[in-house]
Amino acid sequence: TTAHVCRFAHDKVQESIMQLTSEKEFKSLQGKVGLFLLENLDEKQLEEMLFVVVDLMNASGEPSPQSTELNLRAARKAQTLSAFSSASSYVDYGIQTIPKYTDWGPDYSLPVEIYSIGAEVELSLGNVEKAVFYSRQIMDQKNVAPLDKVRAYKVHAKKLYMARCPDEALKVCLEILGMLGCSFPKLGQKLQANIDLDR
């Protein structure tokens, strides 16, 4: 199949067309182009052009059914590339588009993943308050399994350690380990055990 590529003959032609298009129309066009690419690219091509496709679709301001998962995918890729600012933007948009029926319901994997990435990314950017807010969204959910809360607790512990509160960070770590079924002796018990061993 022969690929057809359309280009403007000159930058001035593109500029003139842009001036004749309202901002609202242009954003709508961006969304349509993004959706067209999403529907026509194969998986390998989509992975290569993921940021372009997601940026175009987000620019329209009209979330599609795929918006949350696409932004999560883009955020994950951006985080892997250490493009934390971009990852933060994708997380923000993705959170806004989480379908209400999946928001902390029985299948909570989508919000857990996107909030976990958000917490990690914001901590990397030094946005401590936002990182804590995201991690708390997961930690405070009673129906989320302890294992799925580990990343959020890790962010919270790192935040405390960075604030030079190692004892508080240790408490957070012990809390999640306890939720996972791990038990550790308290300080007094540990000292008594050491005394018994010395005897």
Side-chain angles (χ1 to χ4, degrees), residues 24 27-28 31-32 57-65 67 93 97:
K24 184 177 180 181
K27 287 183 176 180
S28 177
K32 290 177 181 177
M57 295 183 68
N58 288 354
S60 71
E62 301 173 0
S64 70
S67 289
Y93 197 93
T97 60

Side-chain angles (χ1 to χ4, degrees), residues 147-159:
L147 190 60
D148 295 325
K149 293 184 177 183
V150 169
R151 290 169 70 182
Y153 270 86
K154 186 176 180 181
V155 167
H156 204 61
K158 279 186 176 180
K159 171 260 181 185

Side-chain angles (χ1 to χ4, degrees), residues 126-197:
N127 300 328
V128 177
E129 289 187 9
K130 197 170 182 180
V132 171
F133 172 77
Y134 281 156
S135 62
R136 274 293 176 193
Q137 297 305 302
I138 301 170
M139 293 165 64
D140 293 342
Q141 299 299 323
K142 295 181 179 180
N143 66 317
V144 174
L147 190 60
D148 295 325
K149 293 184 177 183
V150 169
R151 290 169 70 182
Y153 270 86
K154 186 176 180 181
V155 167
H156 204 61
K158 279 186 176 180
K159 171 260 181 185
L160 291 168
Y161 189 79
M162 289 166 61
R164 298 184 179 181
C165 301
D167 291 344
E168 294 299 316
L170 179 59
K171 287 180 181 178
V172 171
C173 292
L174 291 176
E175 181 182 344
I176 185 60
L177 286 170
M179 292 168 63
L180 291 169
C182 302
S183 60
F184 297 89
K186 293 181 180 179
L187 182 58
Q189 294 174 326
K190 185 176 181 181
L191 288 173
Q192 184 60 50
N194 288 336
I195 293 171
D196 292 339
L197 286 172

Side-chain angles (χ1 to χ4, degrees), residues 78-98:
Q79 183 186 29
T80 302
L81 297 172
S82 298
F84 300 124
S85 293
S86 296
S88 175
S89 297
Y90 292 128
V91 166
D92 286 344
Y93 197 93
I95 287 174
Q96 294 173 25
T97 60
I98 293 176

